[in-house]
Structure formats: structure tokens, C-alpha cells
Amino acid sequence: MTFKNRRRLRVIRTFCIGWTLSLLFLTIIRGVGATEDGAIDFDISTSFLYALTIGPLFGGISGYAQIVTDERFYKRTSARKLLAIRISMSLAFLITLILVSYLIVPPLLDVDISLMDFASDKGSSAIYFYILSTDIFMAALWQVNLMFGENKLWKILMGAFYEPHEEDRIFMFLDLKDSTQHAERLGHIKYSRLIQDCFNDLGVVIENEAEIYQYVGDEAVLTWRLQDGLRNQNCINAFYTFKSKLLKKQPYYSKKYDCVPHFKAGLNEGVITATEVGKYKKEIAYHGDTINTAARIQKKCNEFNQELLISENLKNKITGSTHEFIPLGDIPLKGKAQKVAIFAIQR
């Protein structure tokens, strides 16, 4: 199974858990010490069974809708159209839930009721409001999760980054070539759109298990846990996956920006410190010389007329590579007392 499909399964799993918990919560606040006023009367045990059965189904539908929104619509349409699409999907989701519930609940409770009576039963409007609110909350929570980086939000809530700790990681600094010329030629608004498009296309690196750590101007920073980056040479192949994506979209970039963006990159590996920083704006931050060295290596790309450079210590950890490593010697890097052995990578 590809990493992209594993990610999709994680999205659906997250939404399944969220919806199941939300329906269990609804069961508790509606069912404990209360009786239904409508034609459909749940006892508490049946309500729990219903929540555990329907929750994963609702979550699967909602999660799939989120995947479609992320992959097909986000940043490919205007904000207004995106909002209209999301509202339409939420309403379609609600109608689907009513139909699914109608097929399951009346037979389960042995109640003879028409679809219209079922849909307009007493108290149903409050349930519909709860369902739409849950759908909006899950979508918003997913966006917050993406802001921190996938799978980081739960770790933050659990305090995993509250105290600094060490991790062995690979870092790649990606920088747009000829960015100054592009900015002067396009103007700052159109140039910002160019950067937006490039970094949206950078999402393809999830196929190589990359985490996008930061965007800084026209620069992006990718990172991997050591074992993830070394597996299948992910840390190197991510660069070429991104490059292939940009070349595939050459007609689009040429038409819209009269250029095809090219990036240069530097790779390094080592032990860094990971911690949560900020009081009113929190962020997961990585600190250490490993990161500074990766940034300095990337800065040497223009000097050696290369698009991808790698430190010797990371190169020595990569086994069975099909890429060619060209030694450039021990190079002095700004801010470092010791020279660093650097290799150019050619595919």
C-alpha cells in the first residue's frame, strides 16, 4: 500500500473515531434519565449500540468527503466556491445520514414509520443541528491538525513536546531558484500566487513520507525521522518527486507565470532537539546544528551549479542507492568552524 493510501486510511480512521465519540456523547446527554418524545424511542443500551454501529459509518462518509475536499478542491478553486462546495457536501452528508438511519433504525426497533415522518420526527431538528455542528467541528479540527503537521496535534495535547527531547532526523532545505528575478518580473501578488502553487504541489512529497516542517518565504523545510528518510531513499527521492510534479505541470506554470519553477536543496542528518515553543501561538520547533548545516549546504548549490547537495554523514547512511554521488570536497560553511564534506547528487 502506498503512503498516500495509508494517509487516506488515517484520515478515515480519525473521522470514524471522532464520529463514534460524538454519537456516544449524544447518547449520554440525551439518554441518561430522559425519554424520547417522538415516535422513535431509544433505550440507553440501544442508543449505545446505534452509536457504535453508525459512528464508524458516518465517520467513513465524512472522512471520504474531507479527502475529496483536500485533494480535488482545496486551492484549486476560489474561497467562495470552496465554502459553497463544503456546505453542499455537508447537506448531502446530512441527507445521506437520514437515509442510512431510516434503513437501519426502524427495522432495528420494529417501528413502522414513513421516511417523511422519520425525517421530521420530534427532536430531529436538534439532532440535525448536532450532526452539522459535528461535521463542521471535525473539518475544522482537521485543518488545525494540518496547521501543526499531521499527527502532531494529538501529541501536543498529550504533552509530548512540552519538555525538550532529542530525535535523530533528516532535514532538507528547499529554495526556489532565481526567486529575486521572478519576484521583480511578476510583482509581489502574482509572485505570492506562484509560491502558493509551488508549495501546494510540494504536497506530493507525502509519497516519500516527508513531513513539511516550515515555509519561510520562498523556502520550505522537509524532515524525516531517520529510519523513514532512509527507507527507499525517501529523503532523496522526495526532491525528484517534487521536481517531476513541477515538470509535469510545465504548461500550467508557463501559461500562468511565463516560467517553470526550479528548486535547489540541501540535505543533512543528525540529532536535534524537538520541543513546543510559544505561549499565545504554539509551534513545534526543532533546534540544533543539524538544521543550520542543512541550510548552509543548500546555500552552496549555486556556487557548485548543482540542484541537490548532501552531507557526507547522511550519504554514508544511505545503502543501495541508484543515484550518483559526486564528491565536492571539504567545504567551509558560514558559521561553522569545521569544514563539511559535501556530495552532489545526480539521478
Side-chain angles (χ1 to χ4, degrees):
M1 182 183 294
T2 64
F3 183 81
K4 187 174 184 179
N5 286 333
R6 292 202 302 271
R7 178 187 177 274
R8 289 170 175 169
L9 286 178
R10 284 202 305 270
V11 174
I12 292 176
R13 181 190 64 190
T14 300
F15 276 74
C16 286
I17 294 173
W19 270 98
T20 301
L21 291 176
S22 70
L23 290 181
L24 287 173
F25 177 72
L26 179 63
T27 295
I28 293 171
I29 62 175
R30 283 177 60 90
V32 177
T35 57
E36 294 287 346
D37 193 28
I40 305 296
D41 186 13
F42 289 97
D43 59 73
I44 189 68
S45 59
T46 304
S47 295
F48 273 112
L49 177 63
Y50 178 76
L52 293 172
T53 304
I54 301 298
L57 178 61
F58 287 6
I61 297 172
S62 182
Y64 180 75
Q66 187 63 49
I67 291 171
V68 171
T69 301
D70 288 344
E71 296 184 359
R72 298 191 180 184
F73 298 117
Y74 187 70
K75 285 302 180 184
R76 288 176 171 82
T77 185
S78 67
R80 290 182 180 179
K81 288 183 179 180
L82 182 64
L83 180 60
I85 290 170
R86 196 65 185 87
I87 292 173
S88 299
M89 293 178 71
S90 295
L91 293 175
F93 174 60
L94 179 59
I95 293 171
T96 302
L97 299 192
I98 293 172
L99 294 175
V100 170
S101 299
Y102 179 71
L103 294 175
I104 295 175
V105 176
L108 183 66
L109 300 179
D110 195 22
V111 175
D112 185 17
I113 186 173
S114 67
L115 175 59
M116 288 300 298
D117 290 338
F118 176 80
S120 59
D121 195 36
K122 289 182 179 180
S124 57
S125 58
I127 295 177
Y128 299 156
F129 177 76
Y130 180 82
I131 288 174
L132 287 175
S133 298
T134 301
D135 187 45
I136 294 170
F137 174 77
M138 290 293 296
L141 190 64
W142 182 251
Q143 293 304 313
V144 172
N145 180 54
L146 293 179
M147 291 292 289
F148 283 108
E150 284 194 36
N151 305 317
K152 291 288 196 303
L153 180 59
W154 178 249
K155 292 181 180 180
I156 291 175
L157 294 176
M158 295 300 295
F161 295 95
Y162 191 74
E163 294 292 339
H165 65 274
E166 289 186 335
E167 295 182 9
D168 201 349
R169 281 190 166 269
I170 298 171
F171 283 87
M172 173 189 287
F173 276 72
L174 270 167
D175 187 44
L176 178 64
K177 294 179 66 176
D178 302 321
S179 56
T180 302
Q181 291 92 317
H182 290 318
E184 291 177 349
R185 180 175 56 85
L186 295 172
H188 63 279
I189 295 295
K190 198 168 184 178
Y191 177 70
S192 293
R193 292 197 182 108
L194 170 65
I195 298 300
Q196 271 190 330
D197 281 339
C198 289
F199 288 165
N200 284 333
D201 289 333
L202 182 60
V204 296
V205 297
I206 66 168
E207 298 174 11
N208 304 106
E209 304 186 57
E211 301 173 26
I212 300 176
Y213 168 45
Q214 279 183 338
Y215 301 109
V216 184
D218 52 22
E219 187 175 74
V221 185
L222 310 184
T223 183
W224 295 259
R225 292 181 301 174
L226 180 62
Q227 62 270 29
D228 294 336
L230 295 180
R231 184 168 49 247
N232 301 322
Q233 303 170 53
N234 278 325
C235 61
I236 295 176
N237 289 332
F239 177 83
Y240 294 108
T241 299
F242 180 43
K243 181 179 179 180
S244 297
K245 178 70 173 181
L246 295 177
L247 291 176
K248 185 178 180 181
K249 292 186 64 176
Q250 179 174 344
Y252 168 82
Y253 282 104
S254 296
K255 181 179 179 180
K256 190 171 182 179
Y257 303 108
D258 194 26
C259 70
V260 179
H262 294 280
F263 281 76
K264 53 190 177 180
L267 278 163
N268 189 35
E269 172 274 335
V271 176
I272 52 87
T273 301
T275 187
E276 175 186 318
V277 297
K279 182 176 182 180
Y280 298 109
K281 182 187 181 301
K282 295 187 181 298
E283 181 177 321
I284 297 172
Y286 297 117
H287 301 138
D289 184 62
T290 297
I291 303 172
N292 297 330
T293 301
R296 300 292 185 266
I297 290 174
Q298 182 267 120
K299 298 298 183 185
K300 292 292 180 177
C301 286
N302 287 342
E303 180 179 330
F304 291 99
N305 195 29
Q306 298 290 336
E307 63 179 4
L308 182 58
L309 301 178
I310 187 173
S311 64
E312 183 180 42
N313 66 310
L314 176 54
K315 178 256 181 188
N316 290 339
K317 288 182 169 65
I318 297 173
T319 58
S321 176
T322 57
H323 301 89
E324 181 182 1
F325 296 94
I326 303 172
L328 301 178
D330 294 339
I331 309 299
L333 299 179
K334 183 179 178 180
K336 293 186 66 66
Q338 301 293 327
K339 294 183 178 180
V340 176
I342 297 176
F343 289 76
I345 301 176
Q346 292 188 359
R347 201 174 190 181

